[in-house]
Amino acid sequence: MFFAYVTFVLATVRLVVHSHGCKDYDLSASDQLLIDMMKHYLHTSRKDECTPQNKTLNTGVTYIRWGKTSCPKGVDMVYTGQVGGTYYSYRGGGVNYLCLPNDPENGQHQSYDNDQIHGGEYQLSSSMKPSGWSASMDNKEVPCSVCYQKRRSAVLMIPGRKTCYKGWNSEYNGYLMSSHKGHFKSDYACVDKNAEPLDDKNGEESGALFYPIRTKCSNLRCPPYTNEADVLCVVCTTTNV
């Protein structure tokens, strides 16, 4: 009702202006006020059609789902592959795990001695494995998938939790894994709670190793943490930034 009224008044003002004989006609203060009211109404009523929401629709985030050959339901998969990284006993090289695609475009053969990209393997046993996992995955290669979640603007891995905080959406949850404390350092990875092997091949070839880790209460505050417990993790996304 207000929109129709203002439109009518504005049209009337324009009609009066155009029909007036004087070329230098100036709008009165009341006429200008009506025009300003109309501009303000259009600006406030259509602000939801403008940038923030529409920009969000065209954005997205990527994350790696460690331990799985697929992405969560409703999430696009960029590619699937296998985990790679430097050999666990090498002093140099990168510390982060890599998600290597299954359809690589290989470079030329080289003879120099700096091989750093090895496959990743689970390191498990009956006494050292996350709850619910089978020791049969020991020495199996680790798969991974790069996932693209549309209409999200931020992604975050939270260690020590299996659920996201308010305003964040869970992509997947699992167990925090890394190299053994007696080896050289590597990255922490959130491995899916329902992790699977890359294939059925089984051979201890080492490489970039994935060990389950646990907490140690000393200067780590217990509570709220618990001594010698699995470290959970969750990958979360949000549009609220």
Side-chain angles (χ1 to χ4, degrees):
M1 181 63 72
F2 175 76
F3 176 76
Y5 171 74
V6 174
T7 304
F8 171 76
V9 173
L10 181 58
T12 304
V13 172
R14 293 182 61 186
L15 179 62
V16 171
V17 171
H18 286 295
S19 63
H20 200 282
C22 300
K23 293 183 180 180
D24 297 330
Y25 178 82
D26 292 328
L27 292 175
S28 66
S30 60
D31 293 335
Q32 187 60 52
L33 177 61
L34 288 173
I35 293 175
D36 291 342
M37 291 173 59
M38 180 62 181
K39 290 180 179 179
H40 177 72
Y41 174 79
L42 291 174
H43 175 72
T44 55
S45 64
R46 295 181 180 177
K47 65 180 180 180
D48 289 339
E49 301 173 11
C50 299
T51 52
Q53 289 187 342
N54 288 341
K55 281 186 176 179
T56 301
L57 295 177
N58 296 323
T59 62
V61 295
T62 60
Y63 60 86
I64 299 174
R65 191 183 190 191
W66 303 103
K68 297 293 286 186
T69 58
S70 62
C71 293
K73 184 177 180 181
V75 181
D76 294 341
M77 185 166 66
V78 182
Y79 68 87
T80 185
Q82 74 170 104
V83 173
T86 193
Y87 200 82
Y88 75 96
S89 62
Y90 285 177
R91 298 180 64 87
V95 298
N96 57 304
Y97 297 116
L98 301 172
C99 187
L100 303 171
N102 286 332
D103 56 346
E105 297 171 332
N106 296 308
Q108 295 182 350
H109 174 76
Q110 300 291 346
S111 59
Y112 55 78
D113 183 22
N114 193 25
D115 52 307
Q116 290 192 27
I117 304 303
H118 297 251
E121 287 185 356
Y122 296 111
Q123 294 294 290
L124 309 172
S125 66
S126 58
S127 61
M128 186 177 64
K129 62 182 181 62
S131 302
W133 281 24
S134 172
S136 65
M137 289 209 306
D138 184 36
N139 293 326
K140 298 273 181 73
E141 277 70 37
V142 185
C144 56
S145 295
V146 176
C147 306
Y148 176 69
Q149 176 63 281
K150 299 177 181 177
R151 294 181 291 278
R152 299 283 195 269
S153 54
V155 60
L156 173 68
M157 189 275 282
I158 304 176
R161 287 186 63 87
K162 62 180 179 180
T163 58
C164 299
Y165 291 106
K166 183 178 180 180
W168 291 77
N169 308 283
S170 176
E171 297 295 323
Y172 75 92
N173 65 82
Y175 296 97
L176 203 65
M177 301 184 76
S178 187
S179 58
H180 193 276
K181 67 179 183 180
H183 297 164
F184 291 102
K185 296 182 185 299
S186 66
D187 204 359
Y188 288 109
C190 186
V191 182
D192 195 281
K193 66 179 181 181
N194 297 314
E196 56 191 339
L198 179 67
D199 49 39
D200 292 331
K201 295 180 180 179
N202 194 345
E204 188 174 0
E205 298 171 334
S206 297
L209 304 181
F210 280 64
Y211 283 87
I213 61 177
R214 65 182 188 177
T215 54
K216 178 62 177 178
C217 290
S218 54
N219 54 350
L220 179 67
R221 297 295 183 263
C222 299
Y225 288 91
T226 303
N227 193 43
E228 299 180 349
D230 288 330
V231 182
L232 306 180
C233 57
V234 61
V235 173
C236 309
T237 58
T238 187
T239 56
N240 301 324
V241 295

